[in-house]
Amino acid sequence: MSREAAGLVMAAVAALLILAGLLAWRRRSRRDAGLTAPVGEAPAGATTRLRSEGLYVATTRHDEPLERLAIRGLAFRSRVDVTVTDRGVALDLTGQPRVFLAADRLVDAGQATVAIDRVVERDGLVRVAWTTPEGTLVDSYLRPQDTSARSLADAIAGILPATPTPTSPQQTPGSDA
């Protein structure tokens, strides 16, 4: 095979791979078209508890850190300014409208190590579990750069809605209790 023919074969393979990626993203976008992010501002009078700059990594299905969702405004990795208030969490992604996760939408906040194609040091990511306006439980992953992941996760956990305490001890499925 000549050098020109080999170059043409490589270009054709590259074009096919790009086309396959575009088709897969289009299919994912159609699949997730019914999911939306709660766009808006923090309520008037909300008190800021913590501000942090960092990277927005992804939003995934709850407890499926490798299943990216193509939610408009949250589909792509970006720089993010996170503002934790007493009423919720504001995410300001570059070039996108502000996403405000009201405290009553928040389900959990913790630390993680892996999300999609991002692997960091142990507990270097913040995982925020929240409910979309359609009622789907999702996880958003953040990589703070000017504060620790622990302090950001703790600030978010501090505004989680109180859950009722059971009157009698119950064993949680999957626990050793």
Side-chain angles (χ1 to χ4, degrees):
M1 180 181 291
S2 72
R3 188 177 216 167
E4 290 79 18
L8 287 174
V9 168
M10 294 301 291
V13 169
L16 284 174
L17 289 174
I18 290 170
L19 179 63
L22 290 172
L23 291 174
W25 186 257
R26 184 175 169 193
R27 184 177 55 206
R28 181 179 301 266
S29 295
R30 271 191 257 134
R31 178 196 72 186
D32 299 336
L35 298 175
T36 59
V39 174
E41 296 295 322
T47 304
T48 300
R49 293 184 171 203
L50 179 76
R51 286 182 192 213
S52 178
E53 293 180 8
L55 297 173
Y56 164 78
V57 177
T59 295
T60 67
R61 295 192 182 285
H62 181 63
D63 285 339
E64 295 181 34
L66 301 179
E67 185 60 37
R68 180 187 299 271
L69 296 173
I71 299 173
R72 186 180 187 122
L74 296 174
F76 300 106
R77 187 176 304 186
S78 172
R79 298 225 15 94
V80 67
D81 291 325
V82 181
T83 305
V84 180
T85 72
D86 58 343
R87 307 252 182 107
V89 179
L91 303 176
D92 292 307
L93 280 70
T94 303
Q96 298 296 328
R98 174 177 274 184
V99 173
F100 185 73
L101 307 174
D104 61 351
R105 288 194 183 282
L106 300 174
V107 176
D108 190 23
Q111 292 176 264
T113 302
V114 176
I116 306 295
D117 59 353
R118 174 71 59 172
V119 179
V120 298
E121 74 278 358
R122 184 179 170 163
D123 294 334
L125 295 173
V126 175
R127 182 187 55 82
V128 181
W130 57 280
T131 306
T132 66
E134 300 78 25
T136 302
L137 186 58
V138 299
D139 295 333
S140 289
Y141 293 87
L142 308 168
R143 173 84 162 144
Q145 293 183 324
D146 61 352
T147 63
S148 71
R150 167 57 49 208
S151 62
L152 180 55
D154 287 347
I156 297 170
I159 63 167
L160 292 174
T163 56
T165 308
T167 54
S168 63
Q170 297 177 355
Q171 183 173 353
T172 304
S175 73
D176 293 333

